[in-house]
Amino acid sequence: MSTLVITDLHVSVETPEGTKEILRGVDLTIDSGHVHAIMGPNGSGKSTLAYSIAGHPKYTITSGTVTLDGEDVLEMSVDERAKAGIFLAMQYPVEVPGVSVSNFLRTAKTAIDGEAPKLRTWVKDVKSSMADLRMDSSFAERNVNEGFSGGEKKRHEILQMELLQPKIAILDETDSGLDVDALRIVSEGVNRVKDKTNVGVLLITHYTRILNYITPDFVHVFVDGRVAEQGGPELAERLEAEGYDRYLTKA
Ligand SMILES: Nc1ncnc2c1ncn2[C@@H]1O[C@H](COP(=O)(O)OP(=O)(O)OP(=O)(O)O)[C@@H](O)[C@H]1O
Ligand SMILES: [Mg+2]
């Protein structure tokens, strides 16, 4: 059982025009085995929240706390956060030229576990996860994300999550750009990992479609750098029907 607690988080970035505050007091608690969906308009700070938790150097935490099982996450390096069990599937996964998927996964697994995975079970695990995600085995020898289609990149993110077995997974628009079959396959992957490892999931999305496959326990509406409203799955339906006007005119 793990808990990620975000309290009154304020985050800013340096821009040519000066310091810009993006997160303006985020409160959020994620327990193992729960799915939290975050929905909200473009530019409201959802990816900034994801990056800030993962430790991206561009984002400066000006106040607030993030803890994982009581440990101060903000004090940790990016590597330490990953080792502690925080996983981020980025909205725009980056290419890693010269590094094959197979090498990348093994290196990441070794770094996170502090020891190399046992070769026989590891090869089997990779193969079976790739098969579950309908990824051709030839992907293992391709360079990470190089020439991957949008959907292939997203499957690769889920493959990483499945093999690295984090405590808390942040999935930033893992559903965007997926065709209907891929959406189902990726969703099943998330559900499978959740059933197997009891991971807590922060699912950033614009669409209720994925929430038909991955049922959220909580839905948070993110507006202008903070949580404007929260509720259960029914809140997602309401957002789909009504949009965000209600929140924006209040501001
Ligand atoms: N490195 C940066 N430099 C300047 N501005 C930034 C930077 N990162 C984020 N921002 C700004 O912060 C705001 C929030 O961006 P963010 O990517 O977190 O939004 P988002 O909610 O994920 O949007 P989307 O739904 O479009 O993915 C935007 O106005 C964005 O331009
Ligand atoms: Mg984003």
Side-chain angles (χ1 to χ4, degrees), residues 57-78:
K58 264 224 173 92
Y59 299 91
T60 309
I61 317 291
T62 52
S63 66
T65 58
V66 180
T67 60
L68 178 61
D69 300 330
E71 301 282 323
D72 186 353
V73 171
L74 301 178
E75 282 294 309
M76 300 178 193
S77 66
V78 174

Side-chain angles (χ1 to χ4, degrees), residues 29-213:
T29 297
I30 301 163
D31 284 325
S32 292
H34 283 158
V35 175
H36 292 252
I38 292 202
M39 308 185 82
N42 293 133
S44 55
K46 302 180 300 297
S47 294
T48 300
L49 175 65
Y51 279 130
S52 302
I53 299 169
H56 193 298
K58 264 224 173 92
Y59 299 91
T60 309
I61 317 291
T62 52
S63 66
T65 58
V66 180
T67 60
L68 178 61
D69 300 330
E71 301 282 323
D72 186 353
V73 171
L74 301 178
E75 282 294 309
M76 300 178 193
S77 66
V78 174
D79 291 14
E80 287 167 344
R81 293 179 201 210
K83 263 189 210 168
I86 295 173
F87 173 83
L88 169 63
M90 287 187 285
Q91 183 172 359
Y92 303 107
V94 290
E95 292 185 6
V96 190
V99 177
S100 69
V101 165
S102 151
N103 266 330
F104 172 77
L105 291 171
R106 202 173 52 237
T107 305
K109 182 72 175 168
T110 304
I112 282 172
D113 289 359
E115 58 177 357
K118 296 220 167 47
L119 206 57
R120 262 196 30 216
T121 50
W122 174 250
V123 170
K124 206 176 79 201
D125 288 350
V126 174
K127 274 202 175 133
S128 102
S129 292
M130 288 183 78
D132 286 341
L133 291 165
R134 311 284 191 283
M135 292 177 80
D136 193 273
S137 56
S138 63
F139 270 94
E141 299 321 316
R142 284 180 59 179
N143 290 341
V144 171
N145 288 323
E146 219 175 54
F148 284 22
S149 76
E152 287 162 355
K153 285 182 183 168
K154 300 292 173 172
R155 287 180 208 219
H156 176 239
E157 297 290 307
I158 301 303
L159 177 66
Q160 289 172 46
M161 171 171 85
E162 184 149 23
L163 293 167
L164 300 180
Q165 306 206 337
K167 293 184 175 132
I168 302 288
I170 304 162
L171 308 179
D172 193 356
E173 298 200 20
T174 299
D175 53 338
S176 68
L178 294 181
D179 68 41
V180 282
D181 292 335
L183 180 69
R184 189 175 41 76
I185 289 162
V186 159
S187 304
E188 283 169 4
V190 174
N191 288 330
R192 196 166 51 240
V193 176
K194 194 163 85 73
D195 291 345
K196 210 158 57 183
T197 69
N198 206 31
V199 62
V201 180
L202 184 63
L203 184 75
I204 299 170
T205 183
H206 284 292
Y207 307 104
T208 49
R209 229 170 36 143
I210 192 169
L211 304 179
N212 296 330
Y213 295 107

